[in-house]
Amino acid sequence: MTDTAASNRLDRRKARTRAALVAAARELLASRDPAEVSIQEITDTADVGFGSFYNHFESKAELFDAALEEVLEEHGALFDALTAEIDDPAEVYASSVRLTVRMAKTHPQIAKILQRTGLRYLNLPDGLAPR
């Protein structure tokens, strides 16, 4: 076996562990306040070892920020797909508002996370407002 194959396997395993931690954070963000969640609960939900958390994130806040960034990117991608063919800014805005309101039914996890964390994340440079 070559070093490239071994490093690729290691990289894939690291990526899976990180993705599991972010998915667990999203699940927990949808149901609870981040301050109420322990790192042990996150790693249990992700089904990874406790020490693995610190291989990927320095703190809970960093993990929850990564999860929020992923949620905002997913939400933004939905906006982009919906409004790609629309030129009128007012129509883009209206379509985006309708999409966001419908998310409670179509994408409940995203809707719950945005509701729980507040809309302050929408105006960040990498949030939804620039879109």
Side-chain angles (χ1 to χ4, degrees):
M1 179 164 49
T2 66
D3 288 336
T4 305
S7 67
N8 287 338
R9 183 179 305 135
L10 178 62
D11 291 344
R12 287 190 304 269
R13 188 183 64 195
K14 285 181 179 180
R16 280 192 306 269
T17 301
R18 187 180 194 287
L21 288 166
V22 172
R26 286 179 63 156
E27 182 181 328
L28 293 165
L29 270 175
S31 62
R32 307 226 322 268
D33 186 283
E36 299 172 358
V37 178
S38 69
I39 293 173
Q40 184 67 55
E41 186 174 3
I42 294 166
T43 57
D44 288 348
T45 302
D47 196 26
V48 300
F50 185 86
S52 295
F53 178 89
Y54 292 103
N55 291 332
H56 299 276
F57 300 99
E58 291 184 19
S59 66
K60 286 190 316 181
E62 185 180 337
L63 169 64
F64 287 125
D65 285 346
L68 268 172
E69 184 177 310
E70 187 177 278
V71 166
L72 289 174
E73 183 55 39
E74 189 175 335
H75 194 179
L78 291 168
F79 280 171
D80 294 345
L82 177 69
T83 61
E85 304 289 320
I86 303 172
D87 293 328
D88 180 18
E91 195 175 339
V92 168
Y93 180 77
S95 296
S96 299
V97 168
R98 283 192 301 271
L99 173 80
T100 301
V101 170
R102 280 189 245 130
M103 289 189 108
K105 295 276 188 207
T106 62
H107 297 81
Q109 185 187 65
I110 293 174
K112 287 177 185 174
I113 290 171
L114 291 176
Q115 177 187 15
R116 185 169 301 289
T117 59
L119 299 177
R120 66 184 179 275
Y121 293 101
L122 300 180
N123 290 324
L124 295 175
D126 57 347
L128 296 175
R131 284 190 148 115

